Amino acid sequence: MNILLANDDGIDSPGIKALADALKDEYDIYIAAPLSQRSAYSHSVTYFYRKNRAERREIEGVKEAYAIDCTPADCTYYGVNGLFKKKMDLVISGINIGRNLASDVIYSGTVAAAGEAMIQKVPGIAVSLCSYQASDFKAAADAVKQIIPYFMNCPQKDSFILNINVPDLPENEIKGIRVTDLHDHVDYARPVEREEKDGELFLFINDDDMRDPESSKERISDVEAVNAGYIAVTPLYYDLCARDNINDLLHMETIRLNEEGEYAL
């Protein structure tokens, strides 16, 4: 089976190399990853309008690897559409340094790289280690290795992605795997700091830990699972339609253009 690895931390990240090392004996591994850090790029793409420079890299145990000056979603697109002249059976994005829980998934380049696989009708997995000081990726890599066969046996595997978040604990202290709901949100609100220097205005925020409000979900949320010492596995898909609100808007169907060319009921 051919597996494409991508990420948003860049090709030199220890997370992607740990993942390749864990999987190389059982699968054919290919890597298409950003040339440098591309965290929080979300699902931005440049492949529509830009020629992106690619550098061939030699990584032990990897069939082919490229560092590409582009976004995480770009990397997946190139990787599954001809860069390697191989059909990719699965895309895995990660192992990300830092969590991708709750509303993190909106900003995450890691999740977007897996999401681009879904758009291209290729199964996708995003995996993150919930620490920004991460150094031991073994538990996260082993979790992915165990989950792959179950995911690949799912009949609808190319219609959603798995978002895996692994607590930053020794492997023997992780309690197990929980299939979770997406937490309602994480509170990103921060006061904006202003700094003027040499006639220029700089804006920044104080990068404290995110605040996790109580969840209103009936099923355990991803945040709750990780905080309790479990690996959180959350199915995600790109359906943004607010179907519960369609009936609230049906009255707009009566709007028509009047003789003056204005919209009116």
Side-chain angles (χ1 to χ4, degrees), residues 126-161:
V127 56
S128 302
L129 181 58
C130 298
S131 170
Y132 292 103
Q133 287 78 45
S135 59
D136 186 357
F137 297 90
K138 185 177 186 305
D142 286 348
V144 174
K145 194 172 182 178
Q146 293 179 51
I147 289 169
I148 286 172
Y150 292 94
F151 182 50
M152 295 305 290
N153 283 329
C154 177
Q156 303 298 321
K157 59 184 175 292
D158 60 355
S159 63
F160 66 97
I161 67 172

Short mmCIF file of all heavy atoms in Angstrom, two decimals, residues 126-161:
data_model
loop_
_atom_site.label_atom_id
_atom_site.label_comp_id
_atom_site.label_asym_id
_atom_site.label_seq_id
_atom_site.Cartn_x
_atom_site.Cartn_y
_atom_site.Cartn_z
N ALA A 126 -5.31 12.82 9.91
CA ALA A 126 -4.48 13.85 10.53
C ALA A 126 -4.13 13.39 11.93
O ALA A 126 -5.00 12.88 12.65
CB ALA A 126 -5.22 15.19 10.57
N VAL A 127 -2.88 13.55 12.33
CA VAL A 127 -2.47 13.11 13.67
C VAL A 127 -1.61 14.18 14.33
O VAL A 127 -0.72 14.75 13.69
CB VAL A 127 -1.74 11.76 13.62
CG1 VAL A 127 -0.54 11.81 12.68
CG2 VAL A 127 -1.33 11.31 15.01
N SER A 128 -1.91 14.44 15.60
CA SER A 128 -1.22 15.48 16.35
C SER A 128 -0.83 14.97 17.73
O SER A 128 -1.59 14.22 18.36
CB SER A 128 -2.12 16.72 16.51
OG SER A 128 -2.53 17.21 15.26
N LEU A 129 0.32 15.40 18.21
CA LEU A 129 0.76 15.16 19.58
C LEU A 129 0.50 16.43 20.36
O LEU A 129 1.00 17.50 19.99
CB LEU A 129 2.23 14.77 19.60
CG LEU A 129 2.84 14.46 20.97
CD1 LEU A 129 2.09 13.31 21.65
CD2 LEU A 129 4.32 14.10 20.82
N CYS A 130 -0.28 16.33 21.43
CA CYS A 130 -0.80 17.51 22.11
C CYS A 130 0.22 18.16 23.04
O CYS A 130 0.03 18.25 24.26
CB CYS A 130 -2.07 17.17 22.87
SG CYS A 130 -3.40 16.61 21.79
N SER A 131 1.33 18.61 22.46
CA SER A 131 2.35 19.33 23.20
C SER A 131 3.18 20.15 22.23
O SER A 131 3.50 19.67 21.14
CB SER A 131 3.27 18.35 23.94
OG SER A 131 4.40 19.02 24.48
N TYR A 132 3.50 21.37 22.63
CA TYR A 132 4.36 22.22 21.79
C TYR A 132 5.83 22.04 22.15
O TYR A 132 6.70 22.64 21.53
CB TYR A 132 3.95 23.68 21.92
CG TYR A 132 2.60 23.93 21.29
CD1 TYR A 132 1.46 24.08 22.08
CD2 TYR A 132 2.44 23.97 19.91
CE1 TYR A 132 0.21 24.28 21.51
CE2 TYR A 132 1.20 24.17 19.33
CZ TYR A 132 0.09 24.32 20.14
OH TYR A 132 -1.15 24.51 19.57
N GLN A 133 6.09 21.20 23.15
CA GLN A 133 7.48 20.84 23.50
C GLN A 133 7.70 19.36 23.22
O GLN A 133 8.50 18.70 23.87
CB GLN A 133 7.76 21.15 24.97
CG GLN A 133 7.89 22.63 25.31
CD GLN A 133 6.55 23.33 25.39
OE1 GLN A 133 5.63 22.81 26.00
NE2 GLN A 133 6.46 24.50 24.81
N ALA A 134 6.97 18.83 22.25
CA ALA A 134 7.01 17.40 21.97
C ALA A 134 8.40 16.94 21.54
O ALA A 134 9.07 17.61 20.76
CB ALA A 134 5.99 17.06 20.88
N SER A 135 8.80 15.80 22.07
CA SER A 135 10.08 15.21 21.66
C SER A 135 9.97 13.71 21.43
O SER A 135 10.79 13.13 20.71
CB SER A 135 11.16 15.49 22.71
OG SER A 135 10.78 14.96 23.97
N ASP A 136 8.98 13.05 22.04
CA ASP A 136 8.81 11.61 21.89
C ASP A 136 7.50 11.35 21.13
O ASP A 136 6.42 11.54 21.67
CB ASP A 136 8.76 10.95 23.26
CG ASP A 136 8.72 9.42 23.16
OD1 ASP A 136 8.66 8.90 22.02
OD2 ASP A 136 8.74 8.76 24.21
N PHE A 137 7.63 10.93 19.88
CA PHE A 137 6.47 10.74 19.01
C PHE A 137 6.05 9.26 18.92
O PHE A 137 5.17 8.93 18.13
CB PHE A 137 6.79 11.25 17.60
CG PHE A 137 7.07 12.72 17.56
CD1 PHE A 137 8.36 13.20 17.71
CD2 PHE A 137 6.04 13.63 17.37
CE1 PHE A 137 8.62 14.56 17.67
CE2 PHE A 137 6.29 14.99 17.34
CZ PHE A 137 7.58 15.46 17.49
N LYS A 138 6.65 8.39 19.73
CA LYS A 138 6.40 6.97 19.59
C LYS A 138 4.93 6.61 19.83
O LYS A 138 4.33 5.84 19.08
CB LYS A 138 7.29 6.18 20.55
CG LYS A 138 7.16 4.66 20.37
CD LYS A 138 8.11 3.90 21.28
CE LYS A 138 8.07 2.40 20.99
NZ LYS A 138 6.73 1.82 21.06
N ALA A 139 4.33 7.16 20.88
CA ALA A 139 2.94 6.82 21.19
C ALA A 139 2.02 7.24 20.05
O ALA A 139 1.09 6.50 19.67
CB ALA A 139 2.50 7.49 22.49
N ALA A 140 2.26 8.41 19.47
CA ALA A 140 1.42 8.89 18.37
C ALA A 140 1.63 8.04 17.13
O ALA A 140 0.66 7.68 16.44
CB ALA A 140 1.74 10.35 18.07
N ALA A 141 2.87 7.70 16.82
CA ALA A 141 3.16 6.88 15.64
C ALA A 141 2.56 5.48 15.80
O ALA A 141 1.97 4.93 14.85
CB ALA A 141 4.67 6.78 15.42
N ASP A 142 2.67 4.90 16.99
CA ASP A 142 2.11 3.57 17.24
C ASP A 142 0.58 3.60 17.12
O ASP A 142 -0.03 2.64 16.63
CB ASP A 142 2.52 3.06 18.61
CG ASP A 142 3.98 2.63 18.67
OD1 ASP A 142 4.61 2.52 17.60
OD2 ASP A 142 4.50 2.41 19.78
N ALA A 143 -0.04 4.69 17.59
CA ALA A 143 -1.50 4.80 17.50
C ALA A 143 -1.94 4.80 16.04
O ALA A 143 -2.90 4.12 15.67
CB ALA A 143 -1.97 6.07 18.20
N VAL A 144 -1.25 5.57 15.21
CA VAL A 144 -1.59 5.61 13.78
C VAL A 144 -1.44 4.23 13.16
O VAL A 144 -2.29 3.76 12.40
CB VAL A 144 -0.71 6.63 13.04
CG1 VAL A 144 -0.96 6.56 11.54
CG2 VAL A 144 -0.98 8.04 13.55
N LYS A 145 -0.35 3.57 13.50
CA LYS A 145 -0.07 2.25 12.94
C LYS A 145 -1.19 1.26 13.28
O LYS A 145 -1.59 0.44 12.45
CB LYS A 145 1.27 1.75 13.49
CG LYS A 145 1.86 0.57 12.76
CD LYS A 145 3.27 0.30 13.27
CE LYS A 145 3.92 -0.85 12.53
NZ LYS A 145 5.30 -1.09 13.00
N GLN A 146 -1.72 1.34 14.49
CA GLN A 146 -2.81 0.45 14.91
C GLN A 146 -4.14 0.81 14.25
O GLN A 146 -4.96 -0.06 13.95
CB GLN A 146 -2.97 0.51 16.43
CG GLN A 146 -1.80 -0.06 17.20
CD GLN A 146 -2.01 0.05 18.69
OE1 GLN A 146 -3.05 -0.34 19.22
NE2 GLN A 146 -1.03 0.62 19.37
N ILE A 147 -4.36 2.11 14.01
CA ILE A 147 -5.65 2.57 13.49
C ILE A 147 -5.78 2.36 11.98
O ILE A 147 -6.88 2.16 11.46
CB ILE A 147 -5.85 4.05 13.88
CG1 ILE A 147 -6.11 4.16 15.39
CG2 ILE A 147 -6.98 4.70 13.09
CD1 ILE A 147 -6.05 5.57 15.92
N ILE A 148 -4.67 2.41 11.24
CA ILE A 148 -4.72 2.32 9.78
C ILE A 148 -5.57 1.15 9.28
O ILE A 148 -6.45 1.35 8.43
CB ILE A 148 -3.29 2.25 9.18
CG1 ILE A 148 -2.61 3.62 9.26
CG2 ILE A 148 -3.34 1.79 7.72
CD1 ILE A 148 -1.14 3.59 8.86
N PRO A 149 -5.36 -0.09 9.73
CA PRO A 149 -6.16 -1.20 9.17
C PRO A 149 -7.66 -1.03 9.41
O PRO A 149 -8.46 -1.38 8.53
CB PRO A 149 -5.61 -2.43 9.92
CG PRO A 149 -4.26 -2.03 10.40
CD PRO A 149 -4.36 -0.58 10.70
N TYR A 150 -8.04 -0.52 10.57
CA TYR A 150 -9.46 -0.32 10.85
C TYR A 150 -10.06 0.74 9.92
O TYR A 150 -11.16 0.57 9.39
CB TYR A 150 -9.66 0.10 12.31
CG TYR A 150 -9.33 -0.99 13.29
CD1 TYR A 150 -8.05 -1.08 13.86
CD2 TYR A 150 -10.27 -1.94 13.65
CE1 TYR A 150 -7.74 -2.08 14.76
CE2 TYR A 150 -9.96 -2.95 14.56
CZ TYR A 150 -8.70 -3.01 15.11
OH TYR A 150 -8.39 -4.01 16.00
N PHE A 151 -9.32 1.83 9.74
CA PHE A 151 -9.81 2.91 8.87
C PHE A 151 -9.90 2.44 7.43
O PHE A 151 -10.89 2.70 6.74
CB PHE A 151 -8.87 4.12 8.99
CG PHE A 151 -9.31 5.31 8.17
CD1 PHE A 151 -10.60 5.80 8.24
CD2 PHE A 151 -8.40 5.96 7.35
CE1 PHE A 151 -10.99 6.90 7.50
CE2 PHE A 151 -8.77 7.07 6.61
CZ PHE A 151 -10.08 7.54 6.68
N MET A 152 -8.91 1.72 6.95
CA MET A 152 -8.89 1.28 5.56
C MET A 152 -9.97 0.23 5.28
O MET A 152 -10.33 0.02 4.13
CB MET A 152 -7.51 0.75 5.18
CG MET A 152 -6.41 1.80 5.21
SD MET A 152 -6.76 3.27 4.19
CE MET A 152 -6.61 2.58 2.55
N ASN A 153 -10.48 -0.42 6.31
CA ASN A 153 -11.58 -1.38 6.14
C ASN A 153 -12.95 -0.72 6.19
O ASN A 153 -13.96 -1.41 6.00
CB ASN A 153 -11.50 -2.47 7.21
CG ASN A 153 -10.42 -3.50 6.89
OD1 ASN A 153 -10.13 -3.77 5.73
ND2 ASN A 153 -9.81 -4.06 7.93
N CYS A 154 -13.00 0.58 6.44
CA CYS A 154 -14.27 1.30 6.51
C CYS A 154 -14.77 1.58 5.08
O CYS A 154 -14.05 2.18 4.28
CB CYS A 154 -14.11 2.60 7.28
SG CYS A 154 -15.62 3.58 7.34
N PRO A 155 -15.99 1.17 4.72
CA PRO A 155 -16.48 1.37 3.35
C PRO A 155 -16.53 2.83 2.91
O PRO A 155 -16.38 3.12 1.73
CB PRO A 155 -17.90 0.76 3.38
CG PRO A 155 -17.88 -0.18 4.54
CD PRO A 155 -16.96 0.43 5.55
N GLN A 156 -16.74 3.76 3.85
CA GLN A 156 -16.87 5.17 3.51
C GLN A 156 -15.60 5.96 3.82
O GLN A 156 -15.65 7.18 4.02
CB GLN A 156 -18.05 5.78 4.29
CG GLN A 156 -19.38 5.08 4.05
CD GLN A 156 -19.80 5.18 2.60
OE1 GLN A 156 -19.63 6.21 1.96
NE2 GLN A 156 -20.37 4.09 2.08
N LYS A 157 -14.46 5.29 3.82
CA LYS A 157 -13.22 5.92 4.27
C LYS A 157 -12.78 7.14 3.48
O LYS A 157 -12.02 7.97 3.98
CB LYS A 157 -12.09 4.89 4.29
CG LYS A 157 -11.80 4.26 2.95
CD LYS A 157 -10.73 3.19 3.07
CE LYS A 157 -10.49 2.44 1.77
NZ LYS A 157 -11.65 1.60 1.39
N ASP A 158 -13.24 7.28 2.23
CA ASP A 158 -12.82 8.45 1.44
C ASP A 158 -13.84 9.59 1.51
O ASP A 158 -13.71 10.59 0.80
CB ASP A 158 -12.58 8.06 -0.02
CG ASP A 158 -13.80 7.48 -0.71
OD1 ASP A 158 -14.83 7.29 -0.04
OD2 ASP A 158 -13.72 7.24 -1.93
N SER A 159 -14.85 9.46 2.39
CA SER A 159 -15.85 10.52 2.51
C SER A 159 -15.72 11.31 3.81
O SER A 159 -16.51 12.21 4.09
CB SER A 159 -17.26 9.94 2.39
OG SER A 159 -17.52 9.03 3.45
N PHE A 160 -14.74 10.95 4.64
CA PHE A 160 -14.46 11.71 5.85
C PHE A 160 -13.00 11.49 6.21
O PHE A 160 -12.32 10.64 5.61
CB PHE A 160 -15.37 11.28 7.02
CG PHE A 160 -15.13 9.87 7.50
CD1 PHE A 160 -14.32 9.61 8.59
CD2 PHE A 160 -15.72 8.78 6.86
CE1 PHE A 160 -14.10 8.31 9.05
CE2 PHE A 160 -15.51 7.49 7.29
CZ PHE A 160 -14.69 7.25 8.39
N ILE A 161 -12.48 12.28 7.13
CA ILE A 161 -11.11 12.08 7.59
C ILE A 161 -11.11 11.75 9.07
O ILE A 161 -12.06 12.06 9.80
CB ILE A 161 -10.22 13.31 7.32
CG1 ILE A 161 -10.65 14.51 8.17
CG2 ILE A 161 -10.21 13.67 5.85
CD1 ILE A 161 -9.71 15.69 8.10
#
